Amino acid sequence: MIVFQESTKFKNVWTTHSASPIAYERGRIYMDNYQCCITSIAQQPRLIYQKSKCAKSEKIEDALLLECPMGELLPSPSDYKASLIVLTVQNWLLRLSADSGEVLEKVYLAGSCCKFFRYLSWDTPQEVMIVKSAQNKLPAAARQAGIQQTVLFYLAVFQVLPLSFIGMLEINKKIFGNSVTDVAVSNGILIVMYSMGLVRLYNFKAILEQFMEQQFHLGQEFNWNGQVGIVGKYPFGLPCNIKITDTPPLLFEASSLENAFQIGGYPWHYIITPNKKKHKGVFHICSLKDNALAKNGIQDMKCCSLEPDWIYFHPDMSGRIIHVGPNLIKVLKLKEVKNHADQMEIAEDFTIVANRENCVNNSVTVTASGRVVKKRFTLLDDDPEQETFKIVDYEDELDLLSTVAVTQIGADGRAHLDFHCNEHGILLKSIPLKESWDVTYSHEVYFDKDLVLHIEQKPNRRFSCYVYQMFFQV
């Protein structure tokens, strides 16, 4: 593969700075609250479009990239090109052309029920989208007056391409309990999180089918609960047509520290941290079928570090698990216990180790005069002067694991992006990043075809973007 050849190098060809967030989606760099779009595919990034500065009332809160599905008949020619679904601060859902920023469709979300839609996410990627409100909170004066607020969140559900309204529902204290802190929808599952660390799962599709009072279509005239209007038009917005009147059947529940809960693997397993602070950094891998802890299912790197290690199911659908610590990445796999086909164990598939060959951390040193000096402290596992893993990602098109490791050298942090074989973990390519990397800032790194893109967020809302282009060194 060309990218792994010795003569293939990457050089910084473009850098920009901004006072507003910078986003990257499939070869496009978005700036100025999505008013400016720059292509990163060309040898030198160039402007695709620049719209006039929008008013604060038109500020975009969240966005999702919508890609054309292959081999499907769609109602509009614009549906065959990539577009952005964006959510504005005034509760408008807009579909924008990714090539021009032109508004292709617009839907008004908030009728009388809700004024604060803020988040976009996928239930089924590129098929079913969820628009979630901020948590509904009463003003202090209303609370002091004894007024009760039972609705915590609103969820609006859409099918995309063509964009169609499925329904809107509320997450109510009377149904789900008083201690709900957050909700999410993923792969047909409604996930409800509670303040005591409890996580409960419900069948979201069954909820839609059971509690749907009436179906509505965008642009349809309606008379609903005394309101007359057009679905998705201002000022009526969308009707709350899914009324959960009874607690839905519970699929599963677990208690985990900070609501950390993941499902994956084959057969299905889940990962939790026991719900006590002393167990932070300890992960239990259990069978979803019977809650049995897998053999070797307690994973604990025993890190002494400021930043915690993290664990997740591998996004490559292999059922493996990635466990990342400051200086070690473990790729784990589930396999049957020998002679016990009904029991699973966790085995190591491969590891990736940070380069700390030059690191010396002796607690006892001897001076030139022969005096023995004992240190009163030891270095943390993620001490800035030691190479430390900061980002681990999966590149699905090339089937690679990418890692970013950082070492503090004097006042500067030096980072390099490495590509590893996803099957065996072998190092295939290392790309040094020229800019200084401050570990206290927020960073994102993308690899896309022949470019590397690094987005950095500094304090006081200062953002930078560095683009590296592939070239061949003769």
Side-chain angles (χ1 to χ4, degrees), residues 365-414:
T365 57
V366 181
T367 66
S369 62
R371 186 166 61 93
V372 175
V373 178
K374 292 184 178 181
K375 293 183 181 178
R376 294 186 179 181
F377 64 91
T378 57
L379 290 177
L380 294 172
D381 289 329
D382 61 350
D383 186 276
E385 294 183 1
Q386 304 180 97
E387 183 171 276
T388 303
F389 292 117
K390 293 297 179 183
I391 296 175
V392 178
D393 203 358
Y394 173 62
E395 309 294 339
D396 56 349
E397 291 185 3
L398 297 177
D399 193 31
L400 298 173
L401 267 184
S402 64
T403 67
V404 175
V406 183
T407 308
Q408 192 80 20
I409 302 173
D412 292 333
R414 290 299 168 202

Side-chain angles (χ1 to χ4, degrees), residues 33 59-63 86-90 117-119:
N33 199 232
K59 179 179 178 287
I60 292 172
E61 291 285 332
D62 205 354
V86 302
L87 177 63
T88 75
V89 71
Q90 292 288 354
F117 282 100
R118 291 294 178 265
Y119 310 104

Side-chain angles (χ1 to χ4, degrees), residues 96-253:
L96 309 178
S97 165
D99 295 322
S100 66
E102 174 191 359
V103 177
L104 303 174
E105 293 180 88
K106 57 191 301 185
V107 177
Y108 186 63
L109 300 171
S112 58
C113 68
C114 178
K115 303 298 182 186
F116 307 105
F117 282 100
R118 291 294 178 265
Y119 310 104
L120 296 176
S121 63
W122 292 114
D123 173 13
T124 305
Q126 302 296 322
E127 292 183 21
V128 178
M129 176 180 65
I130 306 295
V131 189
K132 188 177 82 170
S133 73
Q135 186 167 351
N136 222 3
K137 293 182 179 179
L138 282 174
R143 292 197 300 270
Q144 290 170 1
I147 298 173
Q148 295 292 314
Q149 174 63 272
T150 61
V151 179
L152 296 168
F153 298 93
Y154 288 92
L155 302 176
V157 190
F158 289 87
Q159 188 87 28
V160 299
L161 285 180
L163 188 64
S164 57
F165 175 58
I166 296 175
M168 187 188 293
L169 65 150
E170 58 187 33
I171 303 298
N172 199 306
K173 286 182 182 179
K174 292 180 180 179
I175 302 297
F176 294 99
N178 290 322
S179 59
V180 174
T181 57
D182 202 0
V183 295
V185 179
S186 178
N187 295 302
I189 301 295
L190 174 65
I191 305 162
V192 183
M193 288 156 272
Y194 295 82
S195 57
M196 70 287 287
L198 189 66
V199 179
R200 286 179 173 157
L201 308 186
Y202 302 90
N203 186 325
F204 190 60
K205 186 177 179 181
I207 289 172
L208 299 184
E209 293 174 352
Q210 180 180 352
F211 298 105
M212 175 86 69
E213 294 190 343
Q214 183 178 336
Q215 287 189 330
F216 291 95
H217 302 287
L218 295 175
Q220 171 189 345
E221 292 187 6
F222 73 96
N223 188 331
W224 181 256
N225 292 337
Q227 284 188 312
V228 179
I230 299 176
V231 179
K233 300 293 185 183
Y234 183 85
F236 301 101
L238 302 174
C240 194
N241 60 333
I242 301 167
K243 296 285 187 182
I244 304 177
T245 54
D246 196 8
T247 306
L250 182 67
L251 292 179
F252 183 82
E253 72 174 10

Side-chain angles (χ1 to χ4, degrees), residues 295 335-345:
K295 185 179 179 181
K335 68 175 190 177
E336 291 183 356
V337 176
K338 193 174 182 180
N339 300 325
H340 293 82
D342 59 337
Q343 187 182 0
M344 304 299 291
E345 69 174 319

Side-chain angles (χ1 to χ4, degrees), residues 39-108:
T39 178
S40 60
I41 296 175
Q43 284 293 322
Q44 187 87 10
R46 58 177 176 80
L47 185 70
I48 298 178
Y49 66 80
Q50 173 76 64
K51 298 167 72 175
S52 56
K53 190 174 182 180
C54 65
K56 283 188 177 180
S57 61
E58 298 173 340
K59 179 179 178 287
I60 292 172
E61 291 285 332
D62 205 354
L64 289 175
L65 179 69
L66 188 54
E67 297 181 285
C68 172
M70 299 295 289
E72 291 192 23
L73 291 175
L74 300 172
S76 171
S78 66
D79 294 342
Y80 291 96
K81 295 183 178 181
S83 55
L84 276 177
I85 298 279
V86 302
L87 177 63
T88 75
V89 71
Q90 292 288 354
N91 297 308
W92 284 95
L93 186 71
L94 309 177
R95 186 165 76 91
L96 309 178
S97 165
D99 295 322
S100 66
E102 174 191 359
V103 177
L104 303 174
E105 293 180 88
K106 57 191 301 185
V107 177
Y108 186 63

Side-chain angles (χ1 to χ4, degrees), residues 133 163 165 209 243 277 280 302 309 319-320 322 357 411:
S133 73
L163 188 64
F165 175 58
E209 293 174 352
K243 296 285 187 182
K277 286 186 177 180
K280 190 174 180 69
K302 303 186 185 301
D309 53 326
R320 294 181 297 175
I322 299 177
E357 293 177 1

